[in-house]
Amino acid sequence: MSIDRTRRRILHAGAAGIAGFSLPFAFGTRAFAADGGVLTVAIPSNPQTLDPLNQPNHDVMAINQLIFENLVGVDTRGQRVPQLARAWAISPDKLTYTFDLQRGVTFQNGQPLTSADVKYSFDYVLNPANKAFRRPFWTVIDSVSAPDPATVVIRLKRPYRPLLDYMSKYMGIFPAGSREQHPADFFRQAPVGVGTGPGIFVQSRANDFVELRRNPNYWGKGLPHWERVVFRIIPEESSRLASLMATQTQIISAPPAQLFPQIRHSPGIVGDSRPSPTSPLMMCVNTRKAPFDDLAFRRAVSLVMDRAKISRDLCYGAVKASSMPFAADSPWFDTASAARADFNLDAARAALKASKYASGASFDLLYVQPAYLIDTSSTALFVQAQLASLGVKVNLRPLDFGQMISQAMVGNHQAVLTGFIAPPEPTYLLNALFRPTESLWKATGYTNAAFVQLIDDSYAADDSASLKSVLVKLQRIIARDCPAIWIGALEVQDLWRSEVRNFEVNTGFSLALGQVALSAA
């Protein structure tokens, strides 16, 4: 289907929806009128949980982060900002972090926040008996203490540079004793009153919506500006766009990339994009399964990948071509390593000839449908065609995101084409994919003790030059071993109605809604 025909189809869908513009849209037994007090947004994924300690989904983090808060936040540009801690200090040996808490903060149930709640929250996630999905981020912590009600001290076993960056997404602070006071599904399904954030959970319906209301006692002065926020679950990107154009939603994430440049300038619509230099489109290849158990074969796959064409013609600029884990304009990017892994058809043929699969190979390539972050269906077809030119057969297997990630996490795949979201920290995904104790390691099965040691070395780096030196060494190993195939760095793209105020595209992909306001129609 051509771009023009697709655009006409979506514009028609939007126009059809406008026929009922004066009516409220309804979910179940509750109606939500499109008025100035209700902010309505569309996200692609259905929440499996609302518990921040177990949240695997970056779309749904937009909900979590309105309910729960952390000691430190990260703003839409990826910079650290105070949150429940108004200030912090790091000891010279980088092993002790002292946090000074905000004053006058209460949980949504009216209970004052104290350092005892912070200690309780970290102790809970660190307890292996609680099986928190995000526990691996925090096992470097040796102890958490609360010397007085407004002070928290975290002591580490070793230096850990990403500690503050990870607090923004992979942790939440909740009242002491709350996990024992509520049934097991409380935090997962209906965490009412146990956060400090601007949004209080009201209700949800699977595959439909999640509703929050304004926290009237929120410690952030004058916030939030909305009375309610409703997250509509709309998996299809064309349907999300149609809902925006029909004014049924006011903000949407992950619009169709091929239409984004035109639609962002449509009457009543605003759009913007922001690079996410550590969030890649990539192929996770299972190095423990044929044919990716052969280094030369993996190298052939990397070298046959025409990333510039994929970025330009198939992803419409929503992916910036890169054969390394970082965007090409990132300060961490190593040009020499990228050149070794980048598109070179003659070198790809030579690598395949040197592999044990020179006489032919085939594999299944899983990719996500409906689209998650970006539509990869055209890229999957292109990869299939490129490898066919080498005599390699690729069997395409579309799955929804939940099915795909569950297969990858247990290693029940040969190759997966997908986008991954990472915080603005360069080793997050490298650690997750290549450290054998991490949750995504089975997606690659790659084992290299020297590689893991370099990640640990990066945690102790205390300036940009020493960090870059370690990252260059990591990229040299990636260029040599091809433990995964990077295609490019994702660009975050969002669209919103012109009546939306104070909205900024978030480099971390999750919609940032705490500051958003709606002007009168």
Side-chain angles (χ1 to χ4, degrees):
M1 182 179 290
S2 70
I3 293 176
D4 288 340
R5 287 178 62 197
T6 304
R7 184 174 187 271
R8 287 197 298 271
R9 174 171 57 83
I10 293 176
L11 289 173
H12 177 74
I18 292 174
F21 171 62
S22 61
L23 300 175
F25 48 89
F27 301 104
T29 60
R30 189 179 180 93
F32 301 102
D35 59 39
V38 180
L39 174 64
T40 308
V41 302
I43 59 175
S45 303
N46 189 58
Q48 298 176 2
T49 180
L50 296 177
D51 185 349
L53 307 186
N54 294 296
Q55 182 56 259
N57 188 310
H58 281 73
D59 294 320
V60 181
M61 285 180 185
I63 306 173
N64 293 148
Q65 292 168 356
L66 291 178
I67 300 172
F68 297 96
E69 293 179 305
N70 304 278
L71 293 175
V72 179
V74 171
D75 67 14
T76 55
R77 297 178 184 273
Q79 302 301 307
R80 297 170 184 168
V81 293
Q83 202 166 82
L84 294 179
R86 63 182 184 178
W88 56 88
I90 305 172
S91 65
D93 64 3
K94 301 179 181 61
L95 296 178
T96 302
Y97 288 65
T98 303
F99 299 90
D100 181 24
L101 299 184
Q102 302 276 4
R103 308 303 193 265
V105 178
T106 61
F107 288 97
Q108 295 160 356
N109 61 10
Q111 176 182 329
L113 169 76
T114 73
S115 57
D117 302 302
V118 178
K119 174 176 169 51
Y120 171 82
S121 300
F122 275 97
D123 286 347
Y124 181 88
V125 74
L126 285 167
N127 185 345
N130 296 322
K131 299 180 181 179
F133 178 68
R134 296 299 183 179
R135 179 176 177 268
F137 288 101
W138 311 113
T139 53
V140 71
I141 293 175
D142 184 57
S143 67
V144 181
S145 61
D148 64 61
T151 305
V152 175
V153 178
I154 296 179
R155 292 183 173 84
L156 307 183
K157 301 170 186 174
R158 61 183 184 276
Y160 191 58
R161 176 182 42 78
L163 182 78
L164 300 178
D165 300 304
Y166 292 165
M167 282 184 182
S168 66
K169 282 180 174 283
Y170 308 117
M171 187 59 194
I173 305 303
F174 35 88
S178 57
R179 295 281 175 163
E180 294 78 19
Q181 292 166 4
H182 295 287
D185 283 344
F186 178 83
F187 278 81
R188 183 174 68 86
Q189 295 181 341
V192 180
V194 289
T196 60
I200 300 175
F201 178 85
V202 175
Q203 64 170 337
S204 67
R205 188 170 188 168
N207 303 307
D208 196 345
F209 75 98
V210 177
E211 180 191 0
L212 309 180
R213 65 179 175 88
R214 182 179 186 272
N215 178 359
N217 300 312
Y218 184 55
W219 62 273
K221 301 302 182 185
L223 298 175
H225 300 296
W226 35 262
E227 290 301 317
R228 285 180 288 154
V229 58
V230 178
F231 293 86
R232 297 186 62 190
I233 316 303
I234 307 178
E236 295 288 346
E237 57 182 13
S238 59
S239 298
R240 286 195 301 278
L241 179 56
S243 76
L244 182 77
M245 298 183 72
T247 70
Q248 294 175 335
T249 55
Q250 292 137 323
I251 303 173
I252 66 169
S253 67
Q258 71 271 32
L259 298 179
F260 178 77
Q262 304 102 299
I263 298 296
R264 66 183 296 186
H265 298 299
S266 298
I269 303 294
V270 181
D272 201 2
S273 62
R274 181 164 287 167
S276 186
T278 55
S279 298
L281 175 64
M282 66 184 299
M283 280 177 59
C284 282
V285 298
N286 191 338
T287 64
R288 298 186 296 171
K289 286 189 176 182
F292 294 102
D293 58 340
D294 185 88
L295 188 157
F297 182 85
R298 298 197 301 269
R299 181 164 174 76
V301 173
S302 180
L303 291 167
V304 81
M305 205 71 63
D306 190 343
R307 295 167 176 84
K309 185 173 181 62
I310 291 171
S311 172
R312 181 185 65 247
D313 298 340
L314 304 178
C315 297
Y316 307 94
V319 172
K320 303 302 183 186
S322 175
S323 61
M324 288 293 109
F326 317 118
D329 57 0
S330 161
W332 306 312
F333 181 80
D334 182 52
T335 303
S337 296
R340 289 192 61 195
D342 215 346
F343 177 61
N344 185 325
L345 194 54
D346 289 338
R349 293 191 181 103
L352 183 63
K353 186 176 180 180
S355 78
K356 63 182 181 182
Y357 301 104
S359 60
S362 67
F363 66 89
D364 289 351
L365 177 63
L366 311 183
Y367 68 99
V368 178
Q369 282 292 306
Y372 173 71
L373 304 176
I374 187 169
D375 190 345
T376 56
S377 55
S378 295
T379 301
L381 286 166
F382 184 67
V383 169
Q384 183 185 54
Q386 284 187 296
L387 283 163
S389 71
L390 297 184
V392 176
K393 182 180 180 183
V394 179
N395 308 303
L396 300 182
R397 300 283 186 259
L399 294 174
D400 68 37
F401 179 77
Q403 292 174 315
M404 182 279 297
I405 199 67
S406 65
Q407 294 296 302
M409 288 180 69
V410 298
N412 189 24
H413 69 293
Q414 291 171 290
V416 168
L417 174 67
T418 188
F420 280 111
I421 305 306
E425 194 290 306
T427 58
Y428 165 81
L429 197 57
L430 300 180
N431 187 66
L433 290 171
F434 303 129
R435 188 186 294 269
T437 56
E438 293 297 315
S439 59
L440 281 175
W441 176 75
K442 290 182 180 178
T444 67
Y446 175 74
T447 303
N448 185 328
F451 193 94
V452 172
Q453 182 59 54
L454 284 169
I455 294 174
D456 289 340
D457 293 345
S458 81
Y459 293 156
D462 56 4
D463 62 76
S464 57
S466 58
L467 177 59
K468 174 66 179 288
S469 175
V470 176
L471 296 176
V472 167
K473 294 175 184 176
L474 285 166
Q475 289 172 85
R476 288 173 181 168
I477 294 175
I478 287 169
R480 183 194 70 201
D481 290 358
C482 297
I485 313 298
W486 277 267
I487 296 172
L490 295 169
E491 291 270 317
V492 190
Q493 297 179 337
D494 294 323
L495 293 170
W496 58 95
R497 305 290 311 179
S498 56
E499 67 267 21
V500 173
R501 298 287 180 263
N502 308 331
F503 179 76
E504 289 188 348
V505 178
N506 185 1
T507 190
F509 275 86
S510 302
L511 296 174
L513 304 173
Q515 303 277 345
V516 170
L518 296 171
S519 61

